[in-house]
Amino acid sequence: MIDKINTLLEEVKAFEAKTMEEAEVFRVRMLSKKGAIPALFQEFKSVPPADRKAVGQQLNQLKQAATEKVNTIKTRLETEASSRQPGKKRPDLTMPANFSPIGSRHPLSVIRNRINNIFEKIGFVISEGPEIEDDWHNFSALNFPEDHPARDMQDTFFVEKDPDIALRTHTSSVQVRVMETQQPPIRTISPGRVFRNEAISARAHCIFHQVEGLYIDQDVSFADMKQCLLYFAREMFGEKTQIRLRPSFFPFTEPSAEMDVSCSLCDSKGCSICKYSGWIEIMGCGMVDPNVLENCGIDSKQYTGYAFGMGIERIAMIIYHIKDLRMFFENDLRFLRQFESAM
Ligand code: DAH
């Protein structure tokens, strides 16, 4: 029996195959149920106990050698076959790696980050709130009367009625959340996405972005607000920028104003961006109405403060001379790639 095993082992060692078929024929002859090696295992049953250990070891070695041989030959033949397929070349390991294309920040993110940085430099911290808001945080706490038109279906996307849950129409809702949870001094800015039921056009969209600002402390005055906003305007639009405040109305501030910046594109001489006025409106602002402070649990006799809110799209349109707001939302790569160098 040992002789038979050795003969087969020699045969296995010497075996070579050029095709898959040859390899398969060999496998069947050696290893299949009726093959030579299983036959030896049958014969092994009649080996006398004294020789079993030695013969058994030899036999196992033979089986292992045959299996390995068939596997190596088959794998080799497979790799050879696939590298011979037309159009399929062996990889060139010396070739330099492909560059992964580097993405760019969205212009709205670039401008939002710039706004954040400008205010962070003078001690404002960033706070955020939910995009789905209740009536209290979006309207009531901010002193909107029951019948204010902004609460109307025409302006607001309602998620649920009674109690009213809606997509926030401005980031002023975050002011309320901050004041409800923190005591002055408060210095915060809240960037975020807001929603209004408006027809989409070059100047309006149903989704846009705002940054809200809030400053509450003892003895905060309108003059403090002006100085802060002048600082912001000059950091954002250049050091020669002038600001102008026009009286306005918001339910949550008293007095309220709208702020214009001098047009940096034409040096206030008049151009299509500033509509030949020399000024561009960029935000609403004012002294926080004492009712709002009280609604949020802040003593309006002890504390005063100012608030402001601006649209990020609007600032981005001025900085980058973009005439159509819809471009921010279309994800056209020809547009977005222009901001590759912007941080
Ligand atoms: N929430 C206002 C809007 O969406 C913007 C605004 C105006 C915010 C005046 C303020 C403010 O904080 O004081 O149009």
Side-chain angles (χ1 to χ4, degrees), residues 135 139-140 144-153 156 158 161:
D135 177 89
F139 295 124
S140 297
F144 277 79
E146 257 329 300
D147 54 356
H148 195 284
R151 292 173 177 238
D152 205 310
M153 278 295 219
T156 307
F158 284 95
K161 273 287 199 187

Side-chain angles (χ1 to χ4, degrees), residues 142 144 169-173 175 194 196 208 210-214 225 249-250 252-253 255-258 283-288 306-310:
L142 289 165
F144 277 79
T169 58
H170 51 183
T171 42
S172 303
S173 55
Q175 278 191 25
V194 301
R196 282 185 207 172
F208 56 101
Q210 289 186 332
V211 176
E212 183 78 13
L214 179 70
M225 180 184 85
F249 175 80
F250 300 100
F252 35 91
T253 42
S256 305
E258 270 164 318
M283 68 168 90
C285 56
M287 300 306 289
V288 179
Y306 60 81
F308 53 88
M310 66 189 112

